[in-house]
Amino acid sequence: MDFELNFVKYYDAALENKKFLLIYFLLVGVLTLSIVSIDNVSHPVMEVIIFILTIILGVFSILYYILHDSELHKVAFVIIICFGLITAFLTPIAIVPDETEHMVRSELTSSGVLIPEPQFVNNTFSGFNTIKSAVDLTNDQGNTVFTSNIDNVKIDHTKTIYSSAFMQNPFFGYLAQAIGILLAKLLDLNVIWMLWLGRIANLILYAFLISRAVKKSPVLKIPLIAMACMPLAIFQAASFSIDVMINGLAFIIIGYFLFMLKSEDNSINLKDLGIFSLLVLLCGLCKVPYLALIFLIFIIPKNKFKTPFYYNIIAFLIVAILGVLWTKFYATPNYIFSYRADYFIANNVSMQGQINYLSNHLLSTIVTYANSFNFIYYMFAGLYSFSMVEFSYESQLLTLFGLLFMGAIIFLYPNKLEISTKSRIGVLIVALMIFIGTFTIQLLTWTSVGKLYDVSLQPRYFIPLFALLPFVFGLNNNTSEDEKINKFIMIMVMVLLSGFSILTVCRFY
């Protein structure tokens, strides 16, 4: 009876909003025509299946939003799960950046190894003990379930050495993926299910974290959902990457910040401050530049806090000190335990050498940091092309739609939050600290000494920062939220995710 009643509600909602659904169909159709190639048309079975599935899930998500627009945290969860599942199954094995190493670290965690133990042969680092099936998956990089030779093979638990497992990362960033792998082991499934269940478990974690962020934030909920559901964000979420923990925690931090900023005077207690600080610390342990989010507590007016101001200073110092200690005594020393050690030697990568070069070439250093902002264009463009800084011809229209959509969200989304210029500048400074911090780390730890023009940045590093941009650059502060505007935004979210799913199947199948 409940199912029948719900079906009637969805049917009625579809009839009442047929114009919006028609817009969704038309836009997805246009994107599909811009993406497909002659090869796709010649062998259209997989493409047609995914197109139909995408349309079904897109329509369901739109109708779910229409029927649950007062519970946006549930809407966010549903959208991420629906399109994330498509991505988790469609994305070829280990093509997500660094997924091979994240996969091995997740397998180690599933075996109860929270801190990987480096193995040595003749006093030379050789790698980490994992199972053969994990290594087999890494060797199958780029294959799909249809081209893989190991997808129908049972999991092989034979101990094998793999060269890297991201030892420098904290174990809690791999718990979700480990649960997925452990489930595949316990059920004695085929090897491919290690990949799929690990990705799905990580996806569920991301959906949960984003739903909590949306629920916590009293304002800008729709922009939070839009930024958290960008194609690249879902692409990363449906993988083994620790970026799920980084992005999810960062979004919650932003939601918590908006909650505190909007709170009543003398209402923020020590518990709120402690939770916020702990979230920043956990996020920063996964990616050091995000420790800068702790500065957000100084943007919140003092009269919002029930606690004395020096508590904020204490919280800042605790987070900063623990972050520095973690980086100095754990993350940095263990960074060398990977295949990257050979890369560093071959390419003259040296942190101390680069620091010395920068200090002796101050003008070049200034120019390098000034030029870093040229990357912002590629950062936006790469959000629709599998985490690369360049985008291919078949994704150009998808990228154009996405950039216009994001620009509208950032500059024109109406909100009822009165934001002072001081607060906007403060948040912008925090975002720039994260951007410059990430750039600096890449310059010091990945770039050949003296080759300052060759810094490697990827858009995925900055996904949470997009959630701050409507706060900083939003110009439409005098208009109340409009139901039609929100509906159009949610439709565009579904259009872009649908287009990205179709791009994936057309590119790899």
Side-chain angles (χ1 to χ4, degrees):
M1 182 58 121
D2 289 338
F3 174 79
E4 292 176 357
L5 289 175
N6 286 334
F7 178 80
V8 171
K9 286 182 180 180
Y10 278 87
Y11 179 76
D12 291 340
L15 290 179
E16 292 174 7
N17 296 273
K18 54 182 178 293
K19 291 182 179 179
F20 291 98
L21 294 179
L22 180 59
I23 292 172
Y24 168 72
F25 293 145
L26 290 175
L27 290 178
V28 174
V30 170
L31 283 178
T32 300
L33 291 175
S34 73
I35 291 170
V36 295
S37 64
I38 295 176
D39 289 338
N40 300 133
V41 176
S42 301
H43 306 86
V45 176
M46 189 69 176
E47 287 83 351
V48 171
I49 292 173
I50 296 303
F51 178 82
I52 294 173
L53 179 60
T54 294
I55 290 294
I56 292 172
L57 292 178
V59 169
F60 169 73
S61 298
I62 292 170
L63 295 179
Y64 188 88
Y65 161 72
I66 291 171
L67 295 173
H68 299 83
D69 60 351
S70 62
E71 298 176 298
L72 290 175
H73 61 288
K74 294 183 180 179
V75 174
F77 188 91
V78 167
I79 293 172
I80 292 170
I81 292 297
C82 284
F83 285 93
L85 285 174
I86 295 179
T87 305
F89 286 113
L90 278 184
T91 303
I93 299 170
I95 72 159
V96 181
D98 302 324
E99 193 171 27
T100 53
E101 291 166 285
H102 290 306
M103 196 184 303
V104 172
R105 178 65 187 273
S106 299
E107 192 288 315
L108 291 174
T109 306
S110 75
S111 301
V113 181
L114 301 185
I115 301 177
E117 299 178 0
Q119 303 299 307
F120 297 87
V121 176
N122 297 325
N123 295 322
T124 301
F125 169 71
S126 60
F128 298 90
N129 274 323
T130 184
I131 64 173
K132 184 178 184 299
S133 287
V135 176
D136 288 342
L137 280 172
T138 66
N139 292 334
D140 221 24
Q141 185 176 23
N143 282 312
T144 69
V145 66
F146 300 112
T147 60
S148 172
N149 294 320
I150 63 168
D151 63 292
N152 58 354
V153 177
K154 289 293 184 181
I155 297 173
D156 188 338
H157 297 265
T158 304
K159 290 297 181 182
T160 308
I161 292 288
Y162 187 72
S163 59
S164 183
F166 279 137
M167 183 178 176
Q168 73 274 14
N169 289 340
F171 74 90
F172 60 82
Y174 297 95
L175 291 177
Q177 307 92 305
I179 291 172
I181 291 178
L182 182 60
L183 185 59
K185 291 178 178 178
L186 293 176
L187 296 176
D188 193 29
L189 300 176
N190 293 340
V191 172
I192 196 67
W193 285 100
M194 288 177 58
L195 175 78
W196 285 343
L197 290 181
R199 284 177 172 179
I200 291 170
N202 217 17
L203 174 70
I204 293 172
L205 172 64
Y206 183 74
F208 171 78
L209 293 175
I210 296 303
S211 69
R212 294 304 92 190
V214 173
K215 186 173 184 178
K216 190 65 179 179
S217 176
V219 293
L220 298 176
K221 290 177 180 285
I222 293 292
L224 276 177
I225 294 175
M227 299 307 181
C229 293
M230 292 185 297
L232 178 58
I234 301 300
F235 180 67
Q236 291 295 130
S239 75
F240 278 83
S241 178
I242 197 174
D243 286 1
V244 165
M245 184 65 72
I246 298 167
N247 297 340
L249 288 176
F251 272 98
I252 289 184
I253 292 165
I254 293 168
Y256 222 105
F257 164 70
L258 294 173
F259 159 75
M260 293 192 291
L261 195 67
K262 189 69 175 177
S263 63
E264 300 291 333
D265 291 349
N266 299 312
S267 63
I268 303 176
N269 54 35
L270 184 59
K271 178 183 176 182
D272 292 323
L273 182 61
I275 292 175
F276 182 85
S277 302
L278 178 61
L279 290 171
V280 174
L281 179 61
L282 293 176
C283 187
L285 294 183
C286 296
K287 199 169 190 66
V288 173
Y290 280 91
L291 288 171
L293 290 172
I294 194 63
F295 284 101
L296 291 176
I297 61 175
F298 298 116
I299 297 173
I300 302 166
K302 295 179 183 178
N303 61 342
K304 300 286 186 180
F305 291 90
K306 184 183 296 185
T307 54
F309 179 72
Y310 68 82
Y311 276 44
N312 293 22
I313 298 176
I314 293 174
F316 167 79
L317 291 175
I318 290 175
V319 170
I321 291 172
L322 290 178
V324 169
L325 291 176
W326 168 268
T327 303
K328 181 176 178 60
F329 295 106
Y330 183 82
T332 301
N334 290 321
Y335 191 73
I336 197 65
F337 291 117
S338 93
Y339 67 83
R340 290 177 171 81
D342 294 333
Y343 170 86
F344 296 154
I345 295 172
N347 291 274
N348 190 28
V349 176
S350 166
M351 181 182 295
Q352 188 58 53
Q354 193 75 288
I355 292 173
N356 293 337
Y357 183 89
L358 293 173
S359 62
N360 292 321
H361 299 80
L362 294 180
L363 181 58
S364 297
T365 301
I366 294 172
V367 172
T368 297
Y369 276 90
N371 287 337
S372 68
F373 293 98
N374 292 333
F375 174 74
I376 292 177
Y377 163 75
Y378 297 101
M379 184 168 69
F380 278 90
L383 295 174
Y384 306 92
S385 188
F386 308 105
S387 188
M388 299 297 108
V389 296
E390 72 279 354
F391 57 97
S392 55
Y393 72 92
E394 71 265 31
S395 67
Q396 287 181 359
L397 187 58
L398 176 65
T399 300
L400 178 61
F401 275 20
L403 294 182
L404 291 175
F405 172 65
M406 288 189 65
I409 292 285
I410 292 169
F411 294 104
L412 302 178
Y413 183 78
N415 73 81
K416 296 173 286 188
L417 179 63
E418 294 184 4
I419 307 173
S420 67
T421 302
K422 181 180 178 181
S423 295
R424 292 175 188 269
I425 294 174
V427 171
L428 178 60
I429 290 173
V430 171
L432 289 175
M433 289 173 66
I434 295 172
F435 178 81
I436 294 298
T438 304
F439 180 83
T440 301
I441 289 175
Q442 293 298 107
L443 179 64
L444 297 181
T445 61
W446 268 103
T447 309
S448 301
V449 174
K451 293 186 178 181
L452 307 186
Y453 56 86
D454 199 26
V455 180
S456 174
L457 288 178
Q458 294 185 22
R460 65 188 177 93
Y461 301 152
F462 308 106
I463 287 173
L465 296 189
F466 292 101
L468 293 173
L469 299 185
F471 181 95
V472 176
F473 297 108
L475 304 175
N476 196 0
N477 294 320
N478 299 318
T479 307
S480 60
E481 294 182 10
D482 185 275
E483 181 182 349
K484 288 185 178 180
I485 292 176
N486 287 342
K487 197 175 293 185
F488 272 117
I489 290 173
M490 298 307 294
I491 288 172
M492 280 303 303
V493 168
M494 253 61 79
V495 167
L496 294 172
L497 288 174
S498 298
F500 193 75
S501 297
I502 294 165
L503 174 64
T504 303
V505 72
C506 288
R507 173 79 69 85
F508 298 110
Y509 292 83

